[in-house]
Amino acid sequence: MVINEKDKSATIEWNINGSRPGQTTYNITATGISPAETRTHIVSGFFNRKYEFIDLEEYRNYSVIVQAITSIGNNQSDPVTFRTLAGPAGPVSNFTVDKGFGDDKYVNARVSWILPDELKRNGPINSFYVQQRENFGNGTSFEVNTATINRENEDTHIYYVTFDVHPESNYTFMVRAITGNLTGEVNVKNYSAPAGQVNLGSSCSAVVGEQVCKDPNAACINGKCTCGSNYYDNNGDVLAGACQLKVDLGSSCVVVAGEQVCKDSNAACNGSKCECGSNYYDDNGSTSAGTCQLRKQLSWILMRNP
């Protein structure tokens, strides 16, 4: 038996020893190593001793048997094993593009994938080629970065690459598996980088589960990055300040226009420390961290003697 294998096909040729036995058909079976499918075909005619299997899996092992069938009996060849040639790999699996982690999530994009499905590897994959392009509103795009990642031994390995991005910019990421010197089918995903974190006092849009404001002690409230209830903006009405913890009663403070610097809402910063307003007193005296209590008003009722 002679087999001429290609990447997706194999031509089988065989001979018959002895004289012609009469009407003859040949049953050719190519058994693929799992998960490749087994293929069969019947050829009629004693002198027809050639058949080409097409649409085989690339870079897969097959075992071929030719069975001659006549009216007086059957005979078959010994199995012969062949492997189809390698071809370009198919698309990788589980291809995703997500924002980075922590403070880098607005300036990083994280690309991940795993090997192509087994029947789409089509050969010994040795690396992956990753490409990043930035897209512009006029329909143009430019390559801004590339990476070549070597294959790991484990078939279940998850591959990661992190690329720099600009907030509110649009990108296209592409991944190809490389088999020898053959470049595989391209995977393509578009990615829009989220807007960067917003300075204190600037306009914002709340996003569930996201820290939109740059200051970790601020939140997007009524469309503006505002300090939490226990903090004040150390820059007042000027943008890009920082949230400072409000000051205890009796502790040193700095006056900030338009801000409640003192923790007690009935206290104010007199320029050096937080003191109660005129109608309140400090229930802790000269010791810090008291609270302002409302002064009691005495009422005198004049009673006329009978």
Side-chain angles (χ1 to χ4, degrees), residues 66-241:
V66 177
Q67 184 183 42
I69 304 171
T70 69
S71 60
I72 61 173
N74 305 332
N75 198 2
Q76 71 177 34
S77 68
D78 292 329
V80 176
T81 299
F82 71 93
R83 172 182 279 177
T84 51
L85 303 182
V92 300
S93 298
N94 297 357
F95 178 39
T96 62
V97 182
D98 295 306
K99 57 178 176 288
F101 297 104
D103 294 339
D104 292 333
K105 63 186 174 182
Y106 300 100
V107 293
N108 286 161
R110 192 173 189 239
V111 181
S112 66
W113 68 93
I114 62 174
L115 281 171
D117 293 339
E118 185 173 351
L119 286 179
K120 294 181 179 179
R121 294 174 193 172
N122 302 339
I125 293 172
N126 53 294
S127 62
F128 301 90
Y129 182 70
V130 191
Q131 186 181 22
Q132 176 194 23
R133 299 185 69 88
E134 185 169 1
N135 305 320
F136 300 92
N138 59 3
T140 61
S141 67
F142 295 96
E143 181 178 275
V144 292
N145 213 339
T146 62
T148 299
I149 308 300
N150 291 329
R151 178 184 171 175
E152 301 293 336
N153 291 329
E154 301 84 5
D155 284 358
T156 57
H157 183 81
I158 302 175
Y159 298 86
Y160 297 100
V161 183
T162 300
F163 290 96
D164 293 337
V165 296
H166 300 294
E168 296 188 293
S169 296
N170 297 313
Y171 297 89
T172 297
F173 291 93
M174 291 166 279
V175 178
R176 297 175 176 88
I178 309 299
T179 306
N181 61 352
L182 301 173
T183 300
E185 184 176 338
V186 65
N187 296 71
V188 180
K189 277 196 180 295
N190 294 320
Y191 175 74
S192 295
Q197 289 177 303
V198 178
N199 285 324
L200 197 60
S202 296
S203 299
C204 59
S205 296
V207 179
V208 176
E210 292 288 336
Q211 176 60 33
V212 175
C213 303
K214 188 175 294 185
D215 193 301
N217 297 308
C220 186
I221 301 172
N222 296 326
K224 186 172 79 169
C225 276
T226 307
C227 292
S229 58
N230 292 326
Y231 296 84
Y232 69 94
D233 184 345
N234 68 354
N235 225 9
D237 293 333
V238 181
L239 300 180

Side-chain angles (χ1 to χ4, degrees), residues 47-61:
F47 294 104
N48 295 327
R49 300 171 190 170
K50 181 177 180 180
Y51 180 73
E52 182 182 19
F53 282 106
I54 61 173
D55 294 329
L56 298 177
E57 302 295 343
E58 295 168 292
Y59 203 69
R60 303 299 297 183
N61 289 331

Side-chain angles (χ1 to χ4, degrees), residues 236-237 255-260:
D237 293 333
V255 175
V256 179
E259 291 292 320
Q260 175 59 36

